[in-house]
Amino acid sequence: MTNKEIWRAALEQSAADLNCQAEDFLRSENLVTALRLGPSAKAYYKGTEPLALLMVSFGNNIVASAQDDCRDIVTEYVRSNDFFRCFVPPALLWLDARLARKGQRVSSLSEYYLPDVDALRPLPCEYELKILYPADFSGLYTPEWGNALCADRRELDVLAVGAFDKNRLVGLAGCSADCAHMWQIGVDVLPDYRRKGIAAALVSRLALEALERGKIPFYGAKWSNLPSKRTALKSGFYPAWVELSASAQNVESEDL
């Protein structure tokens, strides 16, 4: 699988998520569509809080998919700001305040990474790495592995790599089959074992395992999570797109 093929697949998946065409992310002008999550949308969009807005940029423009009651707000927002300013204050504060009047708030701001097949390679680790399957990690849905595995969608956790200090699990990276062709990687390392390159070794190994199975690994990090971003870069991933979401929430009157 080439970098071009991986990039195209990510565009097509986001198009399915946002009810648009893949080419819409390559336009110079911003676009607002109706929010219609279909069966092929990424699984993590279908959470307990109803999604009101999903806004994505691959670095050219913004495609925003919004519920009917906030589409006018979102349209004004993306037409009034450069695409990269829409993801940061002060513009972001304007959006959040307007959405709050509709009982919605900005709920997530993340950066996503794709593998660079020319840079991706197995990285050294001083601890033994083992491939794990669902039966192997069924008992690991505990807080210390909450990024590698997702208890709310455990049926989607399909593959993992563990780092072992003798018989003790000290690091874990897991793949979630969030959509048909793309698996999201999350990773955790126990506090006493951090800053030893374990996370990057786990992520790079798991990414290679996913590619061998014909799946595209991708990696997400919250906007300010610098350690996670460093792990992605060290593992052979590059920043590919950014996402902002807003959800329907209970909003107190004093917040408006």
Side-chain angles (χ1 to χ4, degrees), residues 3-25:
N3 285 335
K4 185 177 180 179
E5 290 170 337
I6 290 172
W7 173 260
R8 181 67 190 184
L11 288 174
E12 291 178 351
Q13 179 59 53
S14 287
D17 298 334
L18 275 79
N19 189 27
C20 68
Q21 302 298 314
E23 285 72 23
D24 289 331
F25 296 103

Side-chain angles (χ1 to χ4, degrees), residues 208-219:
L208 290 166
E209 293 289 335
L211 286 168
E212 286 182 6
R213 290 161 172 78
K215 303 299 182 180
I216 297 171
F218 69 107
Y219 184 102

Side-chain angles (χ1 to χ4, degrees), residues 2-246:
T2 67
N3 285 335
K4 185 177 180 179
E5 290 170 337
I6 290 172
W7 173 260
R8 181 67 190 184
L11 288 174
E12 291 178 351
Q13 179 59 53
S14 287
D17 298 334
L18 275 79
N19 189 27
C20 68
Q21 302 298 314
E23 285 72 23
D24 289 331
F25 296 103
L26 307 178
R27 295 162 52 173
S28 58
E29 66 274 11
N30 297 328
L31 175 68
V32 178
T33 69
L35 182 60
R36 302 286 188 270
L37 290 180
S40 60
K42 296 187 185 79
Y44 55 82
Y45 296 142
K46 305 166 187 177
T48 56
E49 295 177 343
L51 194 66
L53 167 65
L54 180 61
M55 194 165 73
V56 171
S57 176
F58 278 80
N60 296 287
N61 68 342
I62 284 173
V63 177
S65 188
Q67 288 183 350
D68 294 345
D69 63 343
C70 66
R71 203 174 308 153
D72 289 346
I73 295 171
V74 175
T75 299
E76 179 183 356
Y77 183 64
V78 300
R79 287 179 177 174
S80 303
N81 298 283
D82 295 325
F83 77 90
F84 57 91
R85 299 188 193 280
C86 287
F87 294 91
V88 294
L92 190 58
L93 300 177
W94 182 95
L95 176 64
D96 188 60
R98 299 307 186 279
L99 291 176
R101 298 171 183 172
K102 302 285 187 179
Q104 302 153 356
R105 300 302 293 263
V106 173
S107 53
S108 180
L109 186 58
S110 300
E111 186 171 3
Y112 287 89
Y113 296 74
L114 289 172
D116 179 351
V117 297
D118 297 322
L120 187 65
R121 66 189 187 282
L123 295 177
C125 183
E126 61 182 291
Y127 301 101
E128 182 183 8
L129 302 185
K130 296 181 182 179
I131 303 297
L132 305 176
Y133 298 94
D136 302 315
F137 53 74
S138 61
L140 298 178
Y141 287 90
T142 54
E144 61 265 42
W145 311 119
N147 292 309
L149 303 173
C150 181
D152 292 336
R153 298 186 299 275
R154 63 179 64 198
E155 73 279 1
L156 300 180
D157 291 333
V158 291
L159 191 67
V161 177
F164 291 83
D165 184 359
K166 298 179 182 177
N167 292 322
R168 184 189 184 194
L169 180 66
V170 299
L172 182 69
C175 268
S176 176
D178 287 332
C179 47
H181 304 294
M182 299 178 71
W183 288 358
Q184 182 171 196
I185 292 179
V187 63
D188 291 289
V189 176
L190 296 181
D192 291 346
Y193 288 83
R194 291 171 185 168
R195 298 185 180 275
K196 295 184 177 183
I198 297 174
L202 289 168
V203 170
S204 62
R205 175 67 182 277
L206 188 54
L208 290 166
E209 293 289 335
L211 286 168
E212 286 182 6
R213 290 161 172 78
K215 303 299 182 180
I216 297 171
F218 69 107
Y219 184 102
K222 297 300 182 185
W223 205 255
S224 58
N225 192 342
L226 293 181
S228 185
K229 291 184 174 188
R230 293 189 190 110
T231 293
L233 295 172
K234 186 176 180 180
S235 302
F237 284 69
Y238 68 94
W241 77 92
V242 292
E243 289 186 9
L244 178 150
S245 64

